[in-house]
Amino acid sequence: MSLQNQRVVVLGGTSGIGLATARLAADQGATVIVASSNPESVKRALEALPDSASGEAVDLTDSAAVAAFFNGIEPFDHLVFTAGEALTLLEIDSLDLDKARRAFELRYFAALGAVSAAASKIRPGGSVVLTTGAAGDRPGPGWSVAASICGAIDSAVRALALELAPIRVNAVKPGVVRTPLWRGGLDYDETARQLPVQRVGEPEDIASAYVYLMNQPYSTGSIVSVDGGHVLV
């Protein structure tokens, strides 16, 4: 299977997992369009992608900007949403509800808004791949907000798979990955020792799951875990 002659839009596709997914899709022959809120990040991503790629700075929490972005591009085959901010743990006894709402704004509501704006542009046989996380299945102290976002995405995937059929809707559920979103908040070496695979994930590990779901024509409403065995320990 390959993505030859297909068009893939990756929101959050300018760094980390999103950029790795964009690169792998391009390696399989796709024309890639990436978007994120930072113009400099978009510029750097395009330098790392083939000349056929294009990109745009878009505030993904601004529904009007997202609608304008999709109105301005040609029909495409696959939508991938990997956008997120640096992870912040929120203890319940000192919970900052404003921070909690902001976390939901990008990781959940922006994803839902992007699907709404993009659905009519997705060509027959196409798909949506969202991003959830292992925290939804195995949270720790301080993870109530992050785990709730993951649970919301998990449920949305199943509902959207029915509502948007025959467009396929799936999600990838990463564990700990060596990306800027985790930087400064985790001891990678200690985490690696606790995992059955004895290492943390790399963006390329996770990217292969997104590309698998784009290529898999008989999968919808599914969530693929790529967590190094996080939920087992």
Side-chain angles (χ1 to χ4, degrees), residues 76-131:
F76 57 95
D77 300 281
H78 305 283
L79 172 66
V80 176
F81 192 97
T82 63
E85 71 299 304
L87 292 165
T88 302
L89 299 186
L90 298 172
E91 301 288 347
I92 199 67
D93 60 358
S94 57
L95 183 63
D96 184 330
L97 280 176
D98 288 335
K99 285 185 178 179
R101 291 187 182 100
R102 286 196 296 273
F104 264 90
E105 189 65 30
L106 179 57
R107 290 178 174 267
Y108 176 75
F109 288 112
L112 205 61
V115 174
S116 175
S120 64
K121 286 291 189 81
I122 299 175
R123 296 193 287 216
S127 75
V128 173
V129 189
L130 302 180
T131 303

Side-chain angles (χ1 to χ4, degrees), residues 11 33 35 56-60 62-74 76 113-114 116-118 121:
L11 303 182
I33 304 103
E56 188 172 330
V58 182
D59 180 353
L60 299 176
D62 182 337
S63 58
V66 172
F69 169 74
F70 284 109
N71 286 336
I73 64 176
E74 295 297 318
F76 57 95
S116 175
K121 286 291 189 81

